[in-house]
Every structure is written in structure tokens, then in C-alpha cells.
């Protein structure tokens, strides 16, 4: 079984809809991250969390919110989706033992029409 | 602020050629990590290497080698005798050792190996 899972893997939604992307991990890591990937821009950090009570904004947090429900679960929400949020979204995990190496989920491809 | 630049957007070579992917970074930190990740057509991100800023020794792993030069703030990646399976998008990334330890990624280089 994969150590970092993301659901759904693919999602098509309409402008204005609320959508939640979920990430779960079995690696026991305390740090979790959400990135979005756009062609030609690489991966950009949306939010990150060092534990359940520690949530931090990343480079491009506007239009997104997150919830760390447990050490193993980190959800990303788009309150009112817009077309320029169409992207590939990755969740990642790490902890002090990984020396900053992050372990990525398989990605969620989101299309906002 | 930290920044990673991969100036080569796309590279296309014929199988068995050697190819070098460039990575230039900017940071004010004295200690940091540099990474390379591979993203094959299937979409997942595969970790290739981490390099500590203290260690400027070049590294070789099979057909892959990495050249880290602090003086030019570069961390270049060379594939020797390229194969079709090497076709992917490759990302260079930078992370501070202290503080938030966030990964800052370059734009990526799409490498196509033609048979």
C-alpha cells in the first residue's frame, strides 16, 4: 500500500463549487505539505503543517484553506473554485529524520470549468 | 528569498547521448540542502538525490551524476548514455536546513530521449 495517498485522483468541477482534496499518510511523519504544479512553474507551496496545531501559509495560499484533522490527515479546500485553480495538486510528508526529503503522494488532477 | 532556476525548459536527445540538466540557485542561508526529483509520464514524483551544502563532492549513481559547485551556486545533473526510460520532467529544489525547511522548486526541465 502507498505510504501517502490522495483522494480523489481526478476531479472535474464547476466554477464556484466548494471542493476538498484529502491526503493521508502511514509514514508517521509529523510534517505535511500541499503543493500545486502548473506547466512551466514547477511546484509551489500552498500550505504546510508541522503538527495538528501548527498550520502555515505557503507561497500561494489565497483561495485555499486547510485542515489538519490528525497527524496522518491533511485536507486542502477550495471554498469557491475558479478556473485558474486548475492544476495538479500534490501532498507531501517529512519529519526530522528525513533531512528535509519530502515524500509525495500520487497527485490529484483538478479541473475547474 | 530563495530561488531555483532551471533555464532549460525542454531538452531532446537521441538515445545513448549524454545530457546535462542545469540548476542554479539563490539563497542567503549558509546551510541548505539541494535535491533532484524525477517526474515520469505517470505523474508521480521520484526522489533522486539530496546534497548537503557542506559537501561539495560530486556524486555518481550508475548512469546518473551530480556536480555541485558552491562558487557558482549550481547543482547540475548529468545522465550518461541516456535511455528512453529517462524521459521525464526533472525538478531541482532547495531547502533551508534550519527554520521551516520548505522545498523551493525550479520550473522543471522536460527531457525527451528519442530512440
Amino acid at each position: 500500500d502507498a505510504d501517502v495517498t490522495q483522494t480523489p485522483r481526478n476531479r472535474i468541477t464547476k466554477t464556484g463549487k466548494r471542493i476538498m482534496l484529502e491526503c493521508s499518510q502511514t509514514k508517521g511523519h509529523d510534517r505535511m505539505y500541499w503543493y500545486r504544479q502548473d506547466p512551466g512553474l514547477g511546484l509551489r507551496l500552498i500550505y504546510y503543517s508541522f503538527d495538528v496545531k501548527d498550520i502555515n501559509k505557503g507561497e500561494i495560499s489565497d483561495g485555499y484553506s486547510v485542515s489538519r484533522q490528525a497527524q496522518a490527515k491533511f485536507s486542502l479546500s477550495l471554498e469557491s473554485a475558479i478556473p485558474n485553480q486548475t492544476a495538479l495538486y500534490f501532498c507531501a510528508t517529512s519529519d526530522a529524520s528525513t533531512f528535509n526529503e519530502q515524500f509525495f503522494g500520487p497527485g490529484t488532477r483538478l479541473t475547474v470549468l | 528569498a530563495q530561488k531555483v532556476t532551471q533555464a532549460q525548459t525542454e531538452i531532446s536527445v537521441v538515445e545513448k547521448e549524454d545530457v546535462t540538466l542545469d540548476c542554479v540557485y539563490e539563497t542567503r542561508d549558509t546551510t541548505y540542502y539541494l535535491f533532484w526529483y524525477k517526474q515520469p509520464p505517470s505523474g508521480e514524483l521520484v526522489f533522486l538525490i539530496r546534497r548537503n551544502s557542506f559537501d561539495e563532492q560530486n556524486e555518481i549513481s550508475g548512469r546518473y551524476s551530480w556536480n555541485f559547485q558552491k562558487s557558482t551556486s549550481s547543482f547540475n545533473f548529468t545522465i550518461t548514455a541516456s535511455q528512453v526510460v529517462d524521459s521525464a520532467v526533472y525538478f531541482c529544489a532547495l531547502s533551508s536546513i534550519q527554520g521551516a525547511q520548505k522545498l523551493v522548486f525550479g520550473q522543471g526541465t522536460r527531457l525527451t530521449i528519442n530512440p
Side-chain angles (χ1 to χ4, degrees):
Chain A
D1 288 340
D3 295 319
V4 184
T5 57
Q6 293 183 232
T7 55
R9 294 293 313 279
N10 289 283
R11 180 72 181 268
I12 300 174
T13 191
K14 294 182 178 180
T15 297
K17 294 291 188 181
R18 183 179 189 275
I19 184 167
M20 179 181 288
L21 309 183
E22 298 186 339
C23 176
S24 295
Q25 53 117 344
T26 58
K27 299 188 76 64
H29 290 166
D30 52 8
R31 301 167 190 176
M32 298 187 73
Y33 310 80
W34 275 106
Y35 294 88
R36 66 176 278 175
Q37 181 182 356
D38 298 278
L41 295 178
L43 279 76
R44 293 179 293 165
L45 183 63
I46 306 172
Y47 271 95
Y48 61 102
S49 169
F50 278 11
D51 64 39
V52 175
K53 296 181 180 179
D54 179 45
I55 304 288
N56 302 278
K57 292 183 177 179
E59 181 186 355
I60 53 165
S61 59
D62 287 349
Y64 301 95
S65 62
V66 290
S67 172
R68 185 83 183 265
Q69 301 95 323
Q71 186 194 35
K73 295 184 182 295
F74 193 35
S75 300
L76 176 71
S77 293
L78 288 67
E79 297 301 326
S80 180
I82 56 177
N84 76 1
Q85 291 177 314
T86 293
L88 183 56
Y89 290 84
F90 285 101
C91 173
T93 73
S94 71
D95 70 13
S97 71
T98 69
F99 299 100
N100 294 30
E101 178 188 347
Q102 293 183 13
F103 294 80
F104 287 82
T108 293
R109 187 165 297 280
L110 176 65
T111 302
V112 183
L113 301 176
Chain B
Q2 296 180 323
K3 184 178 180 182
V4 176
T5 301
Q6 296 178 253
Q8 304 152 306
T9 304
E10 294 191 25
I11 299 174
S12 180
V13 301
V14 176
E15 197 172 21
K16 298 184 182 178
E17 288 186 11
D18 298 348
V19 57
T20 295
L21 309 182
D22 297 333
C23 173
V24 174
Y25 63 92
E26 298 174 26
T27 181
R28 294 181 179 178
D29 294 335
T30 55
T31 57
Y32 49 89
Y33 288 114
L34 293 162
F35 300 81
W36 277 94
Y37 281 85
K38 174 182 179 180
Q39 186 178 43
S42 52
E44 74 272 23
L45 286 161
V46 178
F47 168 82
L48 294 178
I49 190 171
R50 174 186 51 243
R51 172 61 68 199
N52 187 314
S53 58
F54 292 136
D55 182 3
E56 289 193 66
Q57 283 192 344
N58 292 334
E59 179 150 346
I60 298 174
S61 175
R63 296 182 297 105
Y64 295 173
S65 62
W66 291 269
N67 181 276
F68 174 33
Q69 292 197 340
K70 228 171 173 179
S71 61
T72 57
S73 296
S74 65
F75 186 42
N76 296 337
F77 172 32
T78 297
I79 301 174
T80 302
S82 61
Q83 300 177 1
V84 173
V85 293
D86 296 326
S87 296
V89 180
Y90 291 87
F91 292 99
C92 181
L94 167 69
S95 174
S96 300
I97 290 180
Q98 304 297 327
Q101 301 172 350
K102 299 173 286 184
L103 280 178
V104 175
F105 284 84
Q107 304 92 319
T109 297
R110 181 176 298 278
L111 176 64
T112 302
I113 310 298
N114 299 297

